[in-house]
Amino acid sequence: MAEQQTTQRMVEQLNRALSGAGTRSGTPTRWERNRSHNLLAGVMLNAFARQSRRAALTGLEHALVQGFKKVGFTDEDLSALGSAYAQAPLEARSRLFPERAARLGVETGFSTDDLRAELKAMAPQVVQMKNLQVLDQRHLAFSGLSDAELQRKRTELGIQEDLSQARPPPPGEEFLQAQRELGWSVSCVGITAAELAAARGASLGWVTARATTVYCHEGTHEVGNDEPFFGFAVCDGITGTKYVSEELSMDEGDERTFRSNTLWNNNVPGGGLCFTIDAWEADHSNQYDKEIAVLTEILRVLIDQLTIDSWADMAQVLIETGMGTGIPAEIIALFAAVIAAIIGFLKNEDDYIGTYAAYVPNAAMISRKELFQLIQGKSISEATQILMNHLNIDYMGAMLIAMVLLMEGSSLGLSVPMDARSDNHGFYEVYLRVNI
């Protein structure tokens, strides 16, 4: 059975948000700032209300209800949450949820086809999200390497050129500001349309992933050190894994290593790997098992309802950057919907720092693996020439990619910024390593 205080806290949060009591000095709350992304949260709450009235649920609604029951929520728990939503006036719901969700009633179901249609309609808006960043593959291997480690690798390879350009550029202020305001973000490895097409039907093979370190850019300046902990839910579209870190005592400039963990150790037959990282203060870490269980279950429900094939086939919109890279927009829309729903629905306002996702498409991993195999065992000059011809790029660009591959093999290093300073939390950066 779900702990009574957990359900009571969620009901109180929902009632407070619907009443507008959480608004301070006219400043929009996170619920309100996330309004356009709160579709799935409204669908879930309406499904809870519908099941308490014994309405005939759609397949998606049934899966969501059963997902919560699977992790311990009772009919009474879900009825209490659904009633808070159903009894709120339309005006109140419209402040927090898009019209499509706000106007749902206990007599109105919401199906998988409805969600698929909404995601497709969301795509043009989603690709313009300020809290979405596309990561350049050329920089990914060096994420999380200290200056000393980078210098050691440079010496080992006998490279004279400055490797500073291989560092991932820091996230832009516009991205960090949106991250602070909304409490979540999505970072995605960029791929070209050609790479996306070439990866169809290709076999990736075994992949392992782990969380390596976390760095504290800025603490909260409270008495004593901050004590954040991090929950990881990883999904490839078919299966999922989870890991919850220990509490980490940190102050500005501190770097901590995560205890031994394996976020992924399997094939990736789906569309890629999605890492969802929740950051919390340590005060209520004993409650997080329930919350990460719900997150993992909803990811499973959505992937079951919206199979990889069904939403990968919709990937017509690409995010074009200066390098011509892109990602399928509907995939990001799906993850954005999941993340926003969990944030709005399960968080403990005082202790919750934020939720951050990183997505690595299969095409990016396949491309990285193939490039490494192409130059494996070659000198830096030979590898550079091969990549210049293979990728049709200039000398410096080819050398940069060659250095990355020869230093780190086909692995990817991801850094995920977590800037929540506007809500009296710190600014952290979590590093992940994906070995292909």
Side-chain angles (χ1 to χ4, degrees):
M1 172 181 267
E3 295 180 9
Q4 184 176 3
Q5 63 179 6
T6 300
T7 302
Q8 182 179 353
R9 169 172 60 82
M10 293 165 68
V11 172
E12 289 174 352
Q13 288 175 187
L14 181 57
N15 282 327
R16 185 166 59 250
L18 287 165
S19 70
T23 303
R24 300 184 297 273
S25 304
T27 302
T29 63
R30 275 188 177 177
W31 272 76
E32 293 168 335
R33 291 195 294 262
N34 276 295
R35 178 183 180 276
S36 62
H37 303 295
N38 285 340
L39 172 71
L40 194 61
V43 171
M44 286 192 300
L45 291 167
N46 192 62
F48 296 162
R50 280 167 51 74
Q51 74 94 30
S52 69
R53 305 283 183 89
R54 303 188 185 282
L57 302 181
T58 68
L60 176 62
E61 290 171 333
H62 178 76
L64 291 170
V65 168
Q66 292 305 311
F68 274 78
K69 287 185 177 180
K70 185 175 180 179
V71 296
F73 286 84
T74 66
D75 286 335
E76 291 74 19
D77 294 325
L78 301 187
S79 178
L81 291 162
S83 294
Y85 179 81
Q87 293 171 8
L90 176 61
E91 180 183 0
R93 292 202 300 266
S94 295
R95 281 192 302 101
L96 306 181
F97 305 97
E99 287 300 312
R100 183 70 174 87
R103 292 186 177 278
L104 290 173
V106 293
E107 72 287 347
T108 311
F110 192 92
S111 68
T112 303
D113 286 342
D114 292 328
L115 179 56
R116 188 178 290 111
E118 289 296 323
L119 289 178
K120 192 168 185 177
M122 285 167 58
Q125 292 80 38
V126 169
V127 298
Q128 301 300 323
M129 292 191 312
K130 294 180 179 179
N131 60 329
L132 167 67
Q133 66 169 348
V134 180
L135 305 173
D136 181 350
Q137 280 200 64
R138 293 183 305 171
H139 299 295
L140 296 180
F142 289 161
S143 291
L145 291 181
S146 67
D147 289 338
E149 290 172 317
L150 194 61
Q151 179 59 40
R152 176 176 57 80
K153 291 179 180 294
R154 177 185 176 188
T155 301
E156 288 174 358
L157 288 176
I159 296 172
Q160 302 300 317
E161 287 80 7
D162 179 16
L163 297 186
S164 61
Q165 61 179 315
R167 289 284 193 197
E173 181 54 38
E174 185 177 56
F175 170 80
L176 293 177
Q177 179 65 30
Q179 192 180 66
R180 288 192 292 268
E181 291 179 353
L182 297 175
W184 63 283
S185 66
V186 179
S187 301
C188 185
V189 177
I191 55 176
T192 64
E195 287 170 331
L196 184 63
R200 294 191 183 279
S203 175
L204 178 61
W206 205 264
V207 175
T208 62
R210 61 188 174 88
T212 57
T213 58
V214 58
Y215 181 81
C216 179
H217 290 277
E218 184 173 325
T220 60
H221 305 292
E222 295 178 346
V223 176
N225 289 355
D226 295 341
E227 293 185 338
F229 71 99
F230 303 88
F232 299 82
V234 185
C235 187
D236 75 332
I238 298 174
T239 59
T241 63
K242 66 177 181 179
Y243 166 74
V244 181
S245 80
E246 69 275 24
E247 297 173 4
L248 300 164
S249 177
M250 303 193 74
D251 203 351
E252 289 179 27
D254 288 344
E255 184 173 278
R256 298 286 182 264
T257 300
F258 290 109
R259 291 175 185 168
S260 180
N261 65 87
T262 301
L263 301 183
W264 192 265
N265 185 31
N266 210 331
N267 291 312
V268 186
L273 286 178
C274 180
F275 300 83
T276 304
I277 309 170
D278 289 297
W280 300 78
E281 294 289 0
D283 302 29
H284 289 44
S285 58
N286 62 328
Q287 296 180 6
Y288 186 67
D289 275 348
K290 174 68 64 180
E291 291 162 345
I292 196 171
V294 172
L295 171 62
T296 302
E297 188 59 32
I298 289 184
L299 280 170
R300 289 175 189 260
V301 166
L302 280 173
I303 295 302
D304 179 62
Q305 293 291 312
L306 291 174
T307 64
I308 288 292
D309 287 341
S310 72
W311 49 261
D313 287 344
M314 296 191 300
Q316 301 300 318
V317 182
L318 294 177
I319 300 174
E320 294 298 332
T321 69
M323 299 184 59
T325 59
I327 52 177
E330 288 80 3
I331 294 175
I332 295 301
L334 175 63
F335 293 137
V338 175
I339 295 163
I342 298 302
I343 287 173
F345 193 56
L346 294 175
K347 69 181 182 183
N348 180 337
E349 188 75 42
D350 293 334
D351 304 305
Y352 170 74
I353 297 174
T355 299
Y356 309 91
Y359 176 61
V360 187
N362 252 357
M365 291 187 279
I366 289 172
S367 174
R368 177 57 60 94
K369 185 176 182 178
E370 290 177 344
L371 285 179
F372 175 66
Q373 291 172 340
L374 196 64
I375 65 171
Q376 191 174 12
K378 301 291 195 279
S379 68
I380 187 70
S381 59
E382 290 174 320
T384 299
Q385 189 62 50
I386 290 171
L387 292 179
M388 284 177 64
N389 296 332
H390 183 77
L391 300 175
N392 193 28
I393 56 177
D394 62 22
Y395 176 83
M396 287 304 298
M399 187 177 68
L400 178 58
I401 296 175
M403 289 188 298
V404 169
L405 291 171
L406 291 175
M407 285 181 177
E408 290 297 302
S410 57
S411 66
L412 297 172
L414 299 173
S415 64
V416 182
M418 303 178 175
D419 191 347
R421 289 173 289 183
S422 61
D423 282 323
N424 196 34
H425 293 298
F427 177 14
Y428 305 98
E429 195 162 12
V430 168
Y431 296 98
L432 308 170
R433 175 67 57 183
V434 181
N435 294 313
I436 307 161

